[in-house]
Amino acid sequence: GDDEETINAWNQIRSEIDSILGSLINANLSHVRLKDLSLGLRTQARKEMEKTSVNLHDIIHEAITITRGKIGQFDIEYEPDEVSKITCYRSKISQVLTNIIANAGDALQEKNDKNKIKGKHFKGKISILLEKKKVSEIDGLIVVIADNGYGVSDVLKEKIFDQFYTSKPAGKGTGLGLSMCNDIAKEHGGTLSVSDDPLLEGARFELWLPLNQSP
């Protein structure tokens, strides 16, 4: 319901604020970045009554800004498409992308920590691609978020979008959950899928959304 969505959105935002505040201890953010961060958090918490036409590139930039505390130490490669206008519930799509990028950051941190114990060097990388893609003759946009972490096992792939499922210990995660991310994608007539990235060899999440919908 709407109340549950609001609670989950605020849980996600609180979790990201904790990560961001931790990063602020050792980093001086510019006034512009702090302003972008404040705007992004307010946008995600906003309750929308109808879908609007927005620039998906701006939403991705917002998600990257919000998750900076988790992904700032890793290499971020982002390739936007020139055409990125889409009709959607802006705050909901922002929450989905923020959640997926934050999960990628968590996966890279886990691999980084394990490699440190082994005395091995590891450089985490997140690749974000935005491009046009037609599905069943419907024009749309696809956002691909991939990383060079350990990836997702075949067993986990089968239940990663199940309601209430989480692979993280209690108290961890962004609070939104991939099940709700999947529900939001379906609400927009889109799809969310996970696979193995052929280049980075980690997890690869693909969010496809149709360009136009009735407000």
Side-chain angles (χ1 to χ4, degrees):
D2 291 342
D3 290 341
E4 181 183 357
E5 289 180 5
T6 301
I7 291 171
N8 277 292
W10 275 112
N11 284 339
Q12 178 190 12
I13 290 168
R14 280 195 291 266
S15 177
E16 295 308 329
I17 288 174
D18 287 341
S19 295
I20 292 161
L21 289 178
S23 69
L24 290 177
I25 295 175
N26 298 314
N28 294 317
L29 293 186
S30 68
H31 172 72
V32 173
R33 281 186 59 192
L34 285 172
K35 185 176 180 181
D36 287 346
L37 176 58
S38 175
L39 177 61
L41 292 172
R42 290 200 308 272
T43 299
Q44 283 203 355
R46 186 180 303 138
K47 186 175 179 60
E48 297 166 293
M49 301 307 295
E50 60 183 33
K51 297 172 183 174
T52 56
S53 178
V54 298
N55 191 320
L56 193 53
H57 164 69
D58 291 341
I59 301 179
I60 294 173
H61 173 76
E62 177 180 285
I64 293 173
T65 300
I66 292 174
T67 56
R68 186 70 63 180
K70 288 180 180 288
I71 67 174
Q73 64 176 306
F74 306 122
D75 289 339
I76 311 299
E77 182 181 274
Y78 173 38
E79 297 181 18
D81 195 287
E82 292 181 3
V83 180
S84 56
K85 284 281 188 178
I86 193 166
T87 300
C88 66
Y89 290 113
R90 190 190 195 287
S91 63
K92 289 185 178 183
I93 298 302
S94 178
Q95 290 168 29
V96 170
L97 294 174
T98 297
N99 187 77
I100 296 173
I101 295 173
N103 282 345
D106 288 339
L108 294 181
Q109 187 60 56
E110 177 187 1
K111 189 170 183 178
N112 186 59
D113 292 343
K114 289 183 178 180
N115 274 273
K116 276 186 178 179
I117 294 174
K118 298 176 182 179
K120 296 181 179 179
H121 174 72
F122 169 73
K123 186 60 178 177
K125 182 176 182 179
I126 298 175
S127 172
I128 304 174
L129 173 66
L130 168 63
E131 63 181 5
K132 296 184 290 291
K133 183 176 182 180
K134 185 174 287 190
V135 174
S136 300
E137 300 304 313
I138 299 174
D139 290 324
L141 291 171
I142 188 168
V143 183
V144 180
I145 301 172
D147 63 66
N148 63 340
Y150 289 117
V152 181
S153 68
D154 291 338
V155 173
L156 183 55
K157 286 190 185 79
E158 295 179 1
K159 55 185 178 181
I160 199 169
F161 297 122
D162 290 352
Q163 190 175 17
F164 304 125
Y165 179 80
T166 179
S167 61
K168 297 177 180 179
K172 299 293 184 181
T174 61
L176 186 63
L178 289 171
S179 172
M180 187 167 288
C181 289
N182 193 35
D183 289 343
I184 291 173
K186 290 179 179 178
E187 179 185 6
H188 286 79
T191 58
L192 178 63
S193 63
V194 62
S195 60
D196 301 318
D197 190 77
L199 294 177
L200 297 182
E201 300 182 347
R204 177 186 179 93
F205 284 87
E206 297 186 2
L207 173 66
W208 179 83
L209 299 167
L211 284 179
N212 300 302
Q213 300 176 46
S214 299

